[in-house]
Amino acid sequence: MSSSRPRRAFLVGSGRMIYFTKILGEQVLDSNGEPVGTVSDLAIDTREIFPRVTSIAFVGPDKRPFMLSWRKYVAEFSPKRITLNQPGNKLRFSYLQPAEVLLARDLLDHQIVDTQGRKVVRVNDVKLTESRRDLRVLGADVGFRGILRRLNLERPFDVTLSLVRYRIPENLIAWNYIDLLERDLSGVKLSVTHKRLHELHPADIADIIGQMDAAHRVRVFEHLDLLRAADTISESEPEVAAELVESLGNKRASDILEIMPPDDAADIVGGLPYEKAEVLLSLMGFKEAAEIRKLLGYKEHTAGGIMTTDFTALSENLTVEETIGRLRELAPEEETIYYIYVVDDEGHLKGVLSLRDLIVSTPDTHIHDTMLTDIITVNVDDDQEKVADVISKYDLIAAPVVEEAGKLVGIVTVDDVLEVMEQESAEDIAILTGSRWPLRFDTTFSWFVQRSGWLSVWLFAGVVAGTILFVYLPTLRSLAATILFIPLILRISDDVGNRSVAAIIQSLEGDSEEVRRGLLRRTGLDLLVSVGIGLLSGLLALVLLSIWRQPLETALSLGVSVAVTIVLVGSIGTVLPLVLERLDLDPTVATGPIVTTGMSALGLLIYLYLAAAVGARM
Amino acid sequence: MSSSRPRRAFLVGSGRMIYFTKILGEQVLDSNGEPVGTVSDLAIDTREIFPRVTSIAFVGPDKRPFMLSWRKYVAEFSPKRITLNQPGNKLRFSYLQPAEVLLARDLLDHQIVDTQGRKVVRVNDVKLTESRRDLRVLGADVGFRGILRRLNLERPFDVTLSLVRYRIPENLIAWNYIDLLERDLSGVKLSVTHKRLHELHPADIADIIGQMDAAHRVRVFEHLDLLRAADTISESEPEVAAELVESLGNKRASDILEIMPPDDAADIVGGLPYEKAEVLLSLMGFKEAAEIRKLLGYKEHTAGGIMTTDFTALSENLTVEETIGRLRELAPEEETIYYIYVVDDEGHLKGVLSLRDLIVSTPDTHIHDTMLTDIITVNVDDDQEKVADVISKYDLIAAPVVEEAGKLVGIVTVDDVLEVMEQESAEDIAILTGSRWPLRFDTTFSWFVQRSGWLSVWLFAGVVAGTILFVYLPTLRSLAATILFIPLILRISDDVGNRSVAAIIQSLEGDSEEVRRGLLRRTGLDLLVSVGIGLLSGLLALVLLSIWRQPLETALSLGVSVAVTIVLVGSIGTVLPLVLERLDLDPTVATGPIVTTGMSALGLLIYLYLAAAVGARM
């Protein structure tokens, strides 16, 4: 054995940080200094908290892939090359073990689940560290920094941003918070601290699968037990929930729907195609199916539409002790137990008592004597906003829903009201601004279409107004060519201003690091869109003016003015929220009008100035 | 006795409806047909459900006021006059009894509390009915119809509105739902169905006193017992609560604050002048004062700022039965009992169990074995929106608030989160639109100032932009006079459009009858404001153009064009929500941009058309 040689020279100066993308493509030399190939991947042992690199994969000159044990063969490791401790002909190749994954094949550029941050992210690099005898994974780099590094732009960016004293933070996810989406590690015993996706709170699982594509979702879903699957679907957005249920087998889907709260189940069944819905209902227990059918009969956005039929109703003749005994038998769900409703034989609501009243009353009291009879109820046809108002005003945890004759048919719980309020607030803002709320930075393409779609409408309106002017108002024809585009400019400036305000509002909310990254990404996209819209509008102006037989100089000068104005105004409006965020200004009630007025005035000034200046030159 | 005479001829055809304002000023004749005076008031017996008119007050020719018993003296009653059954010299005057109130003095044109509708309203008329031997009060007319009647405009309005098949509804409040603000009836035993303000739910009392002026508030407050006073203040808007506490004596104020939830008490104390706050805190129990002081130390809009220190924390060594026993002793408040927090000796949060878990577990289980240890917490410095997100996402009723080291310091309950969400949503919309949210139709004057205030800013911006154009862009000077006002027109059109959209959103919400009335009232006011702004802008245009030495015809024609355009656009935008409401159209996400674009294009067209047309004539 050659154990006397300094086999691992690279361990001197241990603690060095190495990025995986820097190792990829490095040369591998044998102990004679002969090249045997270039590094194509690294295998890690997934069972450790900081997984050790177990083997090195490389491709030889004839493109053949090899794997070699790291511990056994690697003698020296430097940023430039890897030297082995054996001559090429003495190397014995190894194979990937079940507990191993490959960094390039399974991690790099793949989507993974960050179980701590509770989101789906893309791995841009893997950070490694030399630790005694081994090279170990510190974490997956999922930040902007990783992208810059691979574009060789890390240093230039750092230097530039250091001028404004900003440093792009590194965004690292430790291995024990990573769950792979495309490689199933469920057969491997991971370290106890290693969080798997299906061990999270159902609300978190719902959040995370909401960020995945359908194929990944179904795969994740297969690992969930029935109860967690039901809870996860309950917490998912309606579209995601419907899609998941449709993708599941009928048996499993109906089992899941059966144990879900009936209101959530009804929401999902209501969104399914008729045939599918009927099949699932027929597979369910009679009682559960009947409840869902009944709930489906109520109008959306009413108390009936958001209520659940899971409530605890008892007769008034029980004592407190008997009631507690009954509850122990029934073991109702968390949200549906906080009030106990007292009903007569026909189901008419007679009184209500809270679990608290039950606990603090002496055991032999009759609930008839402790119950509250001045009950706040909502009607089954009441609008959901009224229900929200009632629950919010009287600080209730649930409101009983009654039919005309006072019969108790369901309850609306406060968590449903929170959803209603989020929904209504988003709707209000959407109506006000004509854009989706919250601004989504992740679905770039659809957003681009939406935004340019809107601007086209405005473009069209401006052009129609201009055309009418041009055709029907001969006295103004001398001004018409210039005036024609003023409405367009003002409208686009106003839109840019509105988007700025929306971004400013959003920057006030939530986690600042995430918001900052969102803003940064949006800024880039908005700038691109502004340029696109500007060019489009300029071109349109040119074409229109030519059709109206204006001199080419006029057409050109106005077209250029329109394009440049829109690009400039767009850029200013886009950068504004960033600047305000930097300055840490608190927006006041007046922000909206001030920004939109300012942008309009600015847009007009730029346009007229350009029109005059360019016109004068030509 | 003259009992054989047909004393009460007016009772034939009983059931006739009579309005009090029609009786006021009627002639009173004695049995000889001699006039003895004119009706100045009617007294009613407040103890009945439909109060009977007990006496009639009238002023004689020498302006002297008299009161006569209705039952004893009134022989005949017709819409034109009241005839007595005795000659003038045989009349014996009566006096007002403690249980009686006067319709004109105490009710008509006064503010009363509608305890069913839960609001403060103004009485415009009183509706009476003939019922067997008596004249009885049916209710107080608080609607628009009552106002129209007194202006003698009821019929014209009915005829006009019948063209659009609309009938202004009568808005009547029955006596047993009326509580007088200016006359204290607490000494009178009212009918059992008669609801008094102080018998309502504290949330309703808070709502109602929020609509009163300070003097009335204090008077109402004097009748509330300590607990209800505390609850009412808890539910009141911060300004109202602070004002009430300041107006109370120090002793009562500190008593009330002491029994309030500490978070609400801290909010109020935090808003008081330093001296007053210190006095109140010093009058309180040591523990309560310390808690409030501690809460005051946290930043507003953070978990610490909205949390309460009222929570139930127990040691993990108890059994379920012992825990229930402890809770029975402690008898915590409704909102603070739903979760029981398990802490170690240093107050570090170890686990949580819900009241439901406690109820459904077997009595001898140790809570250590049933508690959940994977606890969702928020940090004391977390933003309130993050707290709202956590509670909403995980469907919690309360979230525990911990300090850095994991020490439990308070809880945020779901009802506080509902408030936070309402507040944040209102703020977002306020920033977007630059107007208060919700639009308040009741404070006309402040709204007028706000609206015209905003328009002045826009006016100013438009004029500045125009001036810059005019001065610095000589090539455009020929167009300048007309162009100058285009930004102004577009901005105002846009504003009108935005207000329309806001009104449309509001018309979607809440009770439709109330909204309709709000919209109607707003329409009138908005039209007035439009005319005002139009005239102002036109005048400004005239002045500006004169200063810039434009010919008088130009100045006049443009000034008129500006004024007329603004009035027209304002009117259209104001009426639009009414039309949409009538047509029952469902606004889509696109409503905002479509309306504002439409209004801008319309405004521009009208302006340019007028400028051209008027200019051509002059």
Side-chain angles (χ1 to χ4, degrees), chain A residues 332 356 479 490-491 494 597, chain B residues 332 356 458 479 490-491 494:
Chain A
R356 181 233 173 227
L479 318 180
L490 287 169
R491 193 106 286 291
D494 202 63
T597 305
Chain B
R356 182 232 173 228
W458 288 329
L479 319 180
L490 286 169
R491 192 106 285 291
D494 201 63

Side-chain angles (χ1 to χ4, degrees), chain A residues 400-420:
Chain A
V401 182
V402 295
E403 280 180 345
E404 281 310 325
K407 209 180 144 202
L408 179 64
V409 290
I411 60 170
V412 176
T413 51
V414 69
D415 52 307
D416 294 323
V417 163
L418 285 169
E419 256 174 59
V420 167

Side-chain angles (χ1 to χ4, degrees), chain B residues 163-287:
Chain B
L163 298 177
V164 291
R165 295 182 173 204
Y166 183 68
R167 203 184 134 75
I168 302 166
E170 186 164 63
N171 200 344
L172 219 58
I173 297 175
W175 174 250
N176 58 331
Y177 292 120
I178 288 175
D179 199 14
L180 298 181
L181 284 175
E182 286 163 37
R183 185 118 196 277
D184 182 12
L185 291 178
S186 55
V188 180
K189 192 174 163 7
L190 301 173
S191 83
V192 284
T193 66
H194 198 120
K195 278 248 174 144
R196 303 284 316 276
L197 174 55
H198 63 259
E199 291 159 7
L200 298 179
H201 190 287
D204 288 320
I205 303 178
D207 252 22
I208 293 171
I209 66 172
Q211 302 164 36
M212 294 178 187
D213 55 39
H216 280 139
R217 261 176 215 157
V218 173
R219 206 175 313 165
V220 169
F221 223 70
E222 281 165 4
H223 288 288
L224 299 179
D225 59 54
L226 204 61
L227 197 63
R228 207 176 284 254
D231 285 347
T232 301
I233 289 194
S234 278
E235 300 281 351
S236 291
E237 297 292 314
E239 317 86 63
V240 175
E243 199 192 286
L244 269 172
V245 168
E246 282 196 75
S247 71
L248 294 170
N250 286 341
K251 182 71 183 73
R252 184 160 156 94
S254 80
D255 285 349
I256 288 176
L257 288 172
E258 201 169 335
I259 60 170
M260 278 173 66
D263 54 337
D264 294 335
D267 286 347
I268 292 170
V269 173
L272 292 176
Y274 178 76
E275 302 283 319
K276 178 85 178 180
E278 279 303 320
V279 170
L280 295 185
L281 285 171
S282 69
L283 286 172
M284 257 178 236
F286 174 76
K287 189 171 150 280

Side-chain angles (χ1 to χ4, degrees), chain A residues 324 328 358-361, chain B residues 314 318-330 340 355 358-361 363 367:
Chain A
I324 293 182
R328 203 161 282 163
L358 214 55
I359 291 267
V360 302
S361 304
Chain B
L314 296 174
L318 298 172
T319 64
V320 164
E321 195 168 19
E322 287 164 349
T323 307
I324 294 183
R326 285 282 291 142
L327 289 178
R328 204 162 281 161
E329 282 165 38
L330 294 169
I340 294 123
L355 214 50
L358 214 55
I359 291 267
V360 303
S361 304
I367 61 174

